[in-house]
């Protein structure tokens, strides 16, 4: 597709991946009988095993959405983690022209890291929040090995823990949130992961850069976590599932649709709603 065809696209759709569009086995929430469960499509393989899924019907709807709008995956995953995901597309081997990784810290264009955006992010973080080393040291001291499975740094931009969630001491995340906020970081608990992300590092800023480059006139978004709140607020319309951090706190906002569906069914409903919005506003040629 030529640059001129891309700039003519009126809709820009930015969607979070994990627990919004794609689901691990533990997040599927298949609460129906085995006989009536939907057929699933594996969209990620890790260490030789399928790791993330969507329903087959969701995949069909997503292909139609991709054909009608500029679709951009917007994820907290690192680039390496994102590149394991292979979304269905209109042709074999299709991949999104733009992808946002590391919670907005890395912008991929045709699979290649945009170095201008990387430099912009580095400059912004250097003047806006505490050094990442300080965050890493604090987690090394405060995250008890009894319930901490892993401590990781992602893309030299933010830190996260993988924890046994049921063993987390009551109040520990709240205490960490207060400490991190004083240093310009946001804490987000997603499944078994606790993220500490610099507050200026946002998905919405990176998506705004894609909006600028594509010239889209309408922005639609979807997400489930605290780190997606600003992404939803920055759009003309946003959608969140009935599970996740935002649902757990009852969060909503004008222009944001809070769905009742949970698990992989929510992913399908989100794509259905996004596609319906695009269909209504896209003229027949």
């Amino acid at each position: 597709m030529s640059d001129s065809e891309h700039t003519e696209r009126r809709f820009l759709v930015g969607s979070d991946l994990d627990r919004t569009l794609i689901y691990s086995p533990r997040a599927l929430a298949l609460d129906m009988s085995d006989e009536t469960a939907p057929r699933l499509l594996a969209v990620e393989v890790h260490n030789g095993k399928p790791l993330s899924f969507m329903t087959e019907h969701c995949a069909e709807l997503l292909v139609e959405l991709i054909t009608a709008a500029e679709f951009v995956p917007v994820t907290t995953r690192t680039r390496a983690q994102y590149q394991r995901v292979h979304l269905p597309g209109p042709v074999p081997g299709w991949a999104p022209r733009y992808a946002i990784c590391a919670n907005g810290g890395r912008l991929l264009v045709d699979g290649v890291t945009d170095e201008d955006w990387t430099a912009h992010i580095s400059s912004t973080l250097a003047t806006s929040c505490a050094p990442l080393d300080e965050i890493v040291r604090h987690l090394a001291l405060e995250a008890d090995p009894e319930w901490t499975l892993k401590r990781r740094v992602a893309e030299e931009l933010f830190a996260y823990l993988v924890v046994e969630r049921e063993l987390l001491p009551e109040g520990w995340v709240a205490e960490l949130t207060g400490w991190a906020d004083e240093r310009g970081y946001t804490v987000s608990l997603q499944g078994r992961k606790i993220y500490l992300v610099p507050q200026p590092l946002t998905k919405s800023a990176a998506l705004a850069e894609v909006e600028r480059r594509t010239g889209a006139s309408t922005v639609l978004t979807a997400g489930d976590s605290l780190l997606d709140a600003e992404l939803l607020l920055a759009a003309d319309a946003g959608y969140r599932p009935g599970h996740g951090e935002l649902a757990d706190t009852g969060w909503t906002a004008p222009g944001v649709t809070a769905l009742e569906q949970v698990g992989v069914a929510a992913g399908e409903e989100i794509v259905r709603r996004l596609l319906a919005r695009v269909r209504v506003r896209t003229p027949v040629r």
Side-chain angles (χ1 to χ4, degrees), residues 191-207:
R192 296 193 303 160
K193 292 182 178 179
I194 301 174
Y195 292 93
L196 285 87
V197 178
Q199 291 171 2
L201 189 66
T202 65
K203 295 178 177 182
S204 62
L207 191 64

Side-chain angles (χ1 to χ4, degrees), residues 91-146:
V91 295
W94 174 88
R97 184 185 189 201
Y98 295 99
I100 294 166
C101 299
N103 211 65
R106 299 290 181 258
L107 174 61
L108 303 184
V109 183
D110 293 325
V112 178
T113 302
D114 188 295
E115 297 300 342
D116 288 341
W117 182 254
T118 297
H120 166 71
I121 290 296
S122 296
S123 175
T124 299
L125 298 188
T127 59
S128 303
C129 50
L132 183 59
D133 286 348
E134 182 179 345
I135 305 302
V136 172
R137 285 195 302 269
H138 184 78
L139 291 179
L141 292 172
E142 299 297 330
D144 194 323
E146 181 179 347

Side-chain angles (χ1 to χ4, degrees), residues 50-261:
L51 183 61
S52 297
F53 302 85
M54 62 175 55
T55 69
E56 284 193 346
H57 188 50
C58 180
E60 294 169 357
L61 295 172
L62 183 60
V63 169
E64 188 173 348
L65 178 64
I66 287 165
T67 303
E70 187 79 58
F71 179 81
V72 183
V74 186
T75 180
T76 306
R77 287 178 175 233
T78 64
R79 286 169 292 181
Q81 292 167 338
Y82 163 71
Q83 287 163 351
R84 298 197 304 253
V85 177
H86 299 286
L87 298 173
V91 295
W94 174 88
R97 184 185 189 201
Y98 295 99
I100 294 166
C101 299
N103 211 65
R106 299 290 181 258
L107 174 61
L108 303 184
V109 183
D110 293 325
V112 178
T113 302
D114 188 295
E115 297 300 342
D116 288 341
W117 182 254
T118 297
H120 166 71
I121 290 296
S122 296
S123 175
T124 299
L125 298 188
T127 59
S128 303
C129 50
L132 183 59
D133 286 348
E134 182 179 345
I135 305 302
V136 172
R137 285 195 302 269
H138 184 78
L139 291 179
L141 292 172
E142 299 297 330
D144 194 323
E146 181 179 347
W147 42 262
T148 302
L149 302 177
K150 298 176 184 177
R151 287 186 287 113
R152 293 286 186 266
V153 171
E155 301 272 10
E156 299 302 320
L157 291 170
F158 60 88
Y160 67 93
L161 304 174
V162 180
V163 302
E164 292 284 5
R165 186 162 175 168
E166 63 274 10
L167 299 180
L168 274 174
E170 185 176 355
W172 191 84
V173 173
E175 183 178 338
L176 178 66
T177 299
W179 180 89
D181 184 63
E182 294 175 353
R183 289 156 180 81
Y185 281 70
T186 296
V187 172
S188 176
L189 175 60
Q190 302 180 37
R192 296 193 303 160
K193 292 182 178 179
I194 301 174
Y195 292 93
L196 285 87
V197 178
Q199 291 171 2
L201 189 66
T202 65
K203 295 178 177 182
S204 62
L207 191 64
E209 174 63 13
V210 177
E211 180 185 1
R212 184 188 69 80
R213 296 186 188 194
T214 60
S217 59
T218 303
V219 178
L220 309 176
T221 59
D224 71 294
S225 78
L226 177 63
L227 295 175
D228 295 316
E230 39 75 31
L231 180 69
L232 296 173
L233 291 171
D236 294 289
Y239 301 87
R240 71 153 175 84
H243 61 254
E245 275 185 305
L246 299 180
D248 290 346
T249 59
W251 183 92
T252 188
V256 176
T257 300
L259 303 178
E260 295 182 1
Q261 291 86 347

Side-chain angles (χ1 to χ4, degrees), residues 18-36:
D18 295 281
R19 297 187 55 148
T20 297
L21 190 63
I22 66 177
Y23 291 80
S24 69
R26 70 170 62 212
L28 289 170
L30 297 174
D31 57 357
M32 67 289 292
S33 68
D34 292 345
E35 292 79 7
T36 59

